């Protein structure tokens, strides 16, 4: 009984646990989880720039007594700080996408994502007429729904993959324990095997439906268009119009700040 049980459960492990060998594709794969974090940040930023959120910022947030006492009592200063904070958050998302995802794209324009964001931040444009990656309100609304769906399915994939790993580990433990326990252990092994098969099917489905199964070009295009639309929204919301004759605008400075100068550089000697 013990030998037969061990032989049978070994077959289960071979069929249910050993991962299949597939050729590497141009999809995100494991980088889907990093992409989901970037997309989540962009979604949060976009919602922070809604009409209602901006109205609360101007009506309530910058008028809090503590803020005005500790930071500044000048509305323009406080709004500039809020603008810089939003732009800095966008920069972090853009940098993450540019570093981890953009280099793997086939489209040369997407591989230059970081450069194009900087150029748009420095420009006076704030709409689709100024850059093809800026979406209209209707397009962005559709894109937000798609991004929400992809983030949710990618989060579900992460959960299911963890559960699958636990079920596979349980199946291995049953194999190591041998055939002691008779019918009870056999029933437990069958139950775990069924769960492994079900979870593998669910994981495969979620891989296709989530960012895992999304091509690098498609994912970066989605991120790039959202980032440009958010940047355009920041410019419009805070009235930023770059002027070469003046100091750098807060959006460009926050998105891609200039490196700090060396201490003492430019001073006269002696």
């Amino acid at each position: 009984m013990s030998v037969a049980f061990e032989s049978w459960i070994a077959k289960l492990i071979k069929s249910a646990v050993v991962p299949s060998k597939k050729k590497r594709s141009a999809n995100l794969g494991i980088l889907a989880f990093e992409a989901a974090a970037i997309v989540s940040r962009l979604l949060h930023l976009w919602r922070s720039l809604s009409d209602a959120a901006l109205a609360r910022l101007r009506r309530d947030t910058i008028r809090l007594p503590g803020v005005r006492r500790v930071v500044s009592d000048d509305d323009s200063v406080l709004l500039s700080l809020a603008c810089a904070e939003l732009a800095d958050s966008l920069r972090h998302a853009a940098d993450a996408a540019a570093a981890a995802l953009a280099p793997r794209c086939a489209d040369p324009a997407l591989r230059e994502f970081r450069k194009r964001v900087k150029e748009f931040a420095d420009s006076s444009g704030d709409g689709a007429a100024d850059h093809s990656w800026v979406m209209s309100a209707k397009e962005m609304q559709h894109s937000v729904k798609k991004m929400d769906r992809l983030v949710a399915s990618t989060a579900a994939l992460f959960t299911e993959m963890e559960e699958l790993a636990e079920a596979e580990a349980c199946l291995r433990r049953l194999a190591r324990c041998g055939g002691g326990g008779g019918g009870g252990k056999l029933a437990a092994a069958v139950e775990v095997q069924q769960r492994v098969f079900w979870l593998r099917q669910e994981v495969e489905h979620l891989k296709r439906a989530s960012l895992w199964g999304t091509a690098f070009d498609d994912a970066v295009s989605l991120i790039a268009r959202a980032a440009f639309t958010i940047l355009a929204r920041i410019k419009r919301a805070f009235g930023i119009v770059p002027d070469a004759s003046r100091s750098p605008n807060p959006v460009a400075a926050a998105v891609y700040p200039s490196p700090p100068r060396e201490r003492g550089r430019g001073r006269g000697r002696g």
Side-chain angles (χ1 to χ4, degrees), residues 1 5 15-16 18 49 56 88 102 129 131 149 155 164 200 202:
M1 176 67 180
F5 179 83
S15 62
V18 177
L49 289 162
R56 283 195 301 273
D88 185 61
H131 202 290
R149 185 172 65 252
L164 175 59
R200 286 179 71 86
E202 185 65 14

Side-chain angles (χ1 to χ4, degrees), residues 1 63 73 75 83 100 145 196 204 236:
M1 176 67 180
R63 299 190 181 282
D73 60 357
D75 286 2
C83 174
K145 290 180 180 178
V196 167
E204 288 304 314
R236 289 194 298 270

Side-chain angles (χ1 to χ4, degrees), residues 3-259:
V3 174
F5 179 83
E6 290 178 4
S7 176
W8 177 78
I9 203 167
K11 291 180 181 179
L12 288 185
I13 294 174
K14 185 176 180 180
S15 62
V17 177
V18 177
S20 58
K21 295 181 180 179
K22 296 182 179 179
K23 292 183 179 179
R24 186 177 179 183
S25 69
N27 294 341
L28 292 182
I30 194 67
L31 288 174
F33 303 120
E34 185 166 353
I38 295 169
V39 173
S40 293
R41 183 189 287 266
L42 293 176
L43 286 168
H44 175 73
L45 267 173
W46 179 249
R47 288 171 177 134
S48 298
L49 289 162
S50 67
D51 290 340
L54 290 171
R56 283 195 301 273
L57 172 67
R58 291 186 168 90
R59 183 185 63 244
D60 301 326
T61 307
I62 66 171
R63 299 190 181 282
L64 291 171
V67 172
R68 301 188 79 83
R69 182 173 60 253
V70 175
V71 183
S72 174
D73 60 357
D74 187 327
D75 286 2
S76 62
V77 171
L78 294 173
L79 288 173
S80 292
L81 289 173
C83 174
E85 184 178 350
L86 290 166
D88 185 61
S89 185
L90 178 60
R91 176 178 65 83
H92 283 296
D95 280 349
L101 308 177
R104 297 170 183 252
C105 291
D107 187 340
L110 294 174
R111 290 201 299 269
E112 294 183 341
F113 174 50
R114 186 196 301 269
K115 175 185 174 183
R116 289 172 180 263
V117 171
K118 185 179 186 305
E119 289 173 349
F120 186 57
D122 288 333
S123 74
S124 59
D126 64 357
D130 305 292
H131 202 290
S132 60
W133 285 355
V134 178
M135 292 182 281
S136 66
K138 186 175 182 179
E139 288 174 326
M140 187 60 178
Q141 184 179 13
H142 175 75
S143 187
V144 164
K145 290 180 180 178
K146 181 178 181 179
M147 289 190 290
D148 273 328
R149 185 172 65 252
L150 286 171
V151 168
S153 58
T154 304
L157 172 63
F158 182 81
T159 300
E160 294 299 314
M161 288 178 74
E162 283 194 323
E163 292 186 11
L164 175 59
E166 290 176 4
E168 289 175 341
C170 180
L171 200 56
R172 291 190 183 95
R173 285 195 297 271
L174 285 171
R176 287 196 298 269
C177 290
K185 180 156 291 186
L186 181 63
V190 170
E191 183 179 349
V192 174
Q193 179 219 18
Q194 290 175 341
R195 178 161 177 76
V196 167
F197 281 137
W198 182 85
L199 285 170
R200 286 179 71 86
Q201 290 178 348
E202 185 65 14
V203 164
E204 288 304 314
H205 165 70
L206 287 170
K207 281 182 177 180
R208 292 190 297 270
S210 69
L211 284 164
W212 185 288
T214 304
F216 277 98
D217 281 48
D218 292 339
V220 175
S221 177
L222 183 70
I223 290 170
R225 298 195 73 199
F228 269 67
T229 305
I230 290 168
L231 184 52
R233 174 66 171 166
I234 292 174
K235 287 185 173 186
R236 289 194 298 270
F238 293 93
I240 304 300
V241 180
D243 185 344
S245 65
R246 300 170 61 187
S247 59
N249 72 83
V251 171
V255 173
Y256 285 103
S258 301

